[in-house]
Amino acid sequence: MALKEIRIPVRKLPHFSGLSLPRYVTGGSAGMDLHAAVTEDVLIGPGERALIPTGLIIALPEGFEAQIRPRSGLALTHGITLVNSPGTIDADYRGEIGVLLINHGKEPFLISRGARIAQMVVTSVYRAAWTESCDLESTVRGNGGFGHSGTS
């Protein structure tokens, strides 16, 4: 089955020069790596956070969003993740994509130019239309939450 493809206009900012556009690495990849468009190294200490520029501005079609997600290897190996995960790039946003990283590890982490810092997943969006109701359909789970599933 061929996957649907959408065209997304992209603008490269001057500090993006020499970097690669996000791309799918394998045929089954859902996300594309985002690269750090820093002009000098950024050191993120344990417990610290930093906004890392990507040098990219995109124009998503209406009805789509781009989710910015952590890279699992950085999270596992160094404790590097996103403060707001996933971050959302809305279709009407026209600013530079920035990645808000946090270091949950025990050692400082160095972000160098071109480092793969996050992944971006482009997906469709549905609008919710609320319908007030006094009675909602019941379920087996009911109002159980926050660890309720998987307990007896």
Side-chain angles (χ1 to χ4, degrees):
M1 174 176 88
L3 297 176
K4 293 181 182 178
E5 186 177 280
I6 62 166
R7 297 283 176 188
I8 301 173
V10 59
R11 182 174 150 210
K12 300 175 188 177
L13 297 173
H15 55 281
F16 180 83
S17 179
L19 298 177
S20 300
L21 284 172
R23 66 181 179 86
Y24 300 101
V25 177
T26 69
S29 294
M32 301 173 271
D33 286 334
L34 291 173
H35 299 268
V38 294
T39 54
E40 55 187 47
D41 290 348
V42 175
L43 188 65
I44 307 173
E48 293 180 348
R49 57 189 178 269
L51 181 60
I52 306 299
T54 64
L56 297 174
I57 297 173
I58 62 175
L60 289 165
E62 190 169 326
F64 288 87
E65 70 160 324
Q67 296 179 1
I68 310 303
R69 300 178 180 180
R71 293 193 67 243
S72 57
L74 288 180
L76 175 65
T77 308
H78 303 285
I80 302 298
T81 190
L82 276 64
V83 175
N84 59 328
S85 180
T88 297
I89 307 299
D90 294 307
D92 59 352
Y93 177 68
R94 291 298 181 274
E96 180 178 6
I97 296 172
V99 178
L100 187 52
L101 295 178
I102 188 165
N103 183 351
H104 287 303
K106 296 180 183 190
E107 303 294 328
F109 186 76
L110 186 68
I111 303 289
S112 297
R113 182 167 181 74
R116 296 179 302 154
I117 54 170
Q119 56 183 329
M120 180 171 61
V121 175
V122 176
T123 187
S124 59
V125 174
Y126 291 90
R127 287 277 176 154
W130 300 110
T131 304
E132 280 193 57
S133 177
C134 293
D135 297 306
L136 300 178
E137 179 183 328
S138 63
T139 66
V140 173
R141 180 178 179 175
N143 66 354
F146 293 101
H148 173 77
S149 61
T151 62
S152 51

